[in-house]
Amino acid sequence: MTAQTKGRIRHVALSVKDPWETAEFYKQALGLEEVVELDGPLAEGVFLTDGVVNLAILHFKSDEASQGTGVDYVGIHHIGFWVDDVVEQGKIARNAGATWIMGDTNNPHGYEVKHTDLNGIIFDIAAHGWVGSQMNPGSEDNVVRPNPQRRLAKFDERRKPLMKELRENARTVHRAAEGDKDAVGQVDQAVQRVFDGREKMHAIDREMYQTLAKDLSPARRARLAVFFAQYHQRMGRMMMEHRAGMTGQGCMGQGCGERQGGPGPGPGMHGPGGKGGPAGGPGGQMGMNGPGPDGDDDLFGEQ
């Protein structure tokens, strides 16, 4: 007979029509702290925490994505249990009558295996917890899943002045290439500053990667590295759009017609893009999460 183990309730997911309105309610009414915004193939939403339990406020994008509840369902969608061994706990749950829905049942380092209980209620089991949650508060063996926004903020603050300097020097180089007499005299210094700035940005990226990767599995570290590569590609495109707009030479890149004749978005690394999407949110911020809630590529805690 398999030994009994204990799951800890550390995650509750709500299905609502407007996650952002609902999140604001819980922040104002009960003082919950926002962890991160998400926008994935299955759902979009906001993660909150009370410091111990993660509250996911989601809007599912289709009936299929909702895992049986329906896209218009409003209420508690599922609960999540932080367990010591997700493979063994899954076997125990299924032997007790649970029905598997999704997630790799044989991957000890995977994330969120979903089942339904005897009543058809959905529950998760996860071996690594959820962002903003704690495994055993007050105990010596406690594990904390920190708020990624707090971890990333220091990098974002260091990145902002570098991005400003890069844009200014890139603008000088571009003007010099167009024959601007004032800019020509500054071109060598501007080019050197561009190279120096890029080296500093890469150094920040290395430090940032190391900070984020230390808590991730090898597969998630690989996805994080892919994210950084994609980020720099996007940033390069935005710099090109910005220069094209400044000189009235048209716009380069998808969707940049709206920015014709003016500066492109400032590429921050911290926090959400729009509603947690990959790019183009307020201030030109870029989301750090992968596809998002209840998918397979989230870096910070909800698949």
Side-chain angles (χ1 to χ4, degrees):
M1 182 176 177
T2 304
Q4 183 59 270
T5 60
K6 182 178 72 172
R8 308 154 187 86
I9 301 174
R10 295 294 181 264
H11 173 62
V12 178
L14 307 182
S15 176
V16 301
K17 293 182 179 179
D18 189 332
W20 285 267
E21 180 181 58
T22 305
E24 284 303 313
F25 168 80
Y26 282 106
K27 287 192 287 185
Q28 294 179 23
L30 296 169
L32 297 190
E33 178 185 356
E34 184 172 323
V35 181
V36 72
E37 295 175 301
L38 302 171
D39 187 4
L42 302 184
E44 61 181 4
V46 185
F47 275 7
L48 306 178
T49 182
D50 65 352
V52 176
V53 177
N54 168 289
L55 178 64
I57 304 175
L58 307 174
H59 175 69
F60 290 92
K61 296 184 175 181
S62 68
D63 288 333
E64 183 180 3
S66 71
Q67 301 147 37
T69 61
V71 70
D72 296 323
Y73 172 75
V74 174
I76 295 177
H77 185 270
H78 64 268
I79 56 176
F81 296 87
W82 193 334
V83 299
D84 296 314
D85 186 327
V86 72
V87 175
E88 189 60 34
Q89 197 72 54
K91 294 177 181 178
I92 294 172
R94 290 187 292 277
N95 287 338
T99 301
W100 172 84
I101 299 179
M102 62 182 292
D104 188 348
T105 60
N106 295 312
N107 183 1
H109 303 294
Y111 196 82
E112 275 197 353
V113 180
K114 278 186 166 59
H115 296 79
T116 56
D117 68 11
L118 301 178
N119 303 290
I121 298 170
I122 303 171
F123 68 92
D124 297 329
I125 54 174
H128 305 295
W130 291 263
V131 287
S133 65
Q134 297 187 46
M135 188 177 189
N136 296 309
S139 66
E140 293 183 358
D141 63 346
N142 186 34
V143 178
V144 179
R145 285 298 305 275
N147 183 337
Q149 288 192 358
R150 289 198 300 268
R151 290 165 63 180
L152 297 176
K154 63 179 181 180
F155 296 105
D156 209 25
E157 290 304 313
R158 289 164 57 187
R159 189 178 297 274
K160 287 177 182 177
L162 279 174
M163 285 306 307
K164 180 180 179 181
E165 184 177 351
L166 276 172
R167 284 194 295 268
E168 291 175 349
N169 286 291
R171 193 179 301 125
T172 298
V173 173
H174 188 79
R175 292 205 321 268
E178 296 297 317
D180 185 296
K181 294 182 179 180
D182 293 333
V184 166
Q186 306 173 44
V187 67
D188 291 335
Q189 186 179 27
V191 168
Q192 185 60 48
R193 285 177 176 172
V194 168
F195 283 121
D196 291 345
R198 288 171 119 180
E199 289 179 4
K200 291 177 182 177
M201 291 285 285
H202 285 307
I204 293 174
D205 285 348
R206 282 193 293 271
E207 183 181 348
M208 187 176 186
Y209 173 84
Q210 292 167 356
T211 298
L212 295 173
K214 65 181 180 181
D215 296 326
L216 301 179
S217 67
R220 289 172 184 271
R221 290 198 296 272
R223 290 199 289 269
L224 180 62
V226 170
F227 168 82
F228 275 109
Q230 293 173 340
Y231 165 75
H232 283 291
Q233 290 174 358
R234 292 189 190 108
M235 191 172 70
R237 286 197 297 269
M238 286 190 287
M239 292 287 286
M240 292 170 69
E241 293 167 13
H242 175 73
R243 291 195 296 271
M246 288 295 293
T247 58
Q249 293 181 348
C251 191
M252 304 176 68
Q254 182 178 3
C256 63
E258 298 175 2
R259 298 191 296 273
Q260 189 83 356
M269 280 292 290
H270 169 227
K275 292 185 177 180
Q285 295 174 321
M286 299 185 70
M288 279 298 299
N289 277 58
D294 298 285
D296 291 326
D297 294 306
D298 172 42
L299 296 172
F300 291 134
E302 169 79 353
Q303 54 165 11

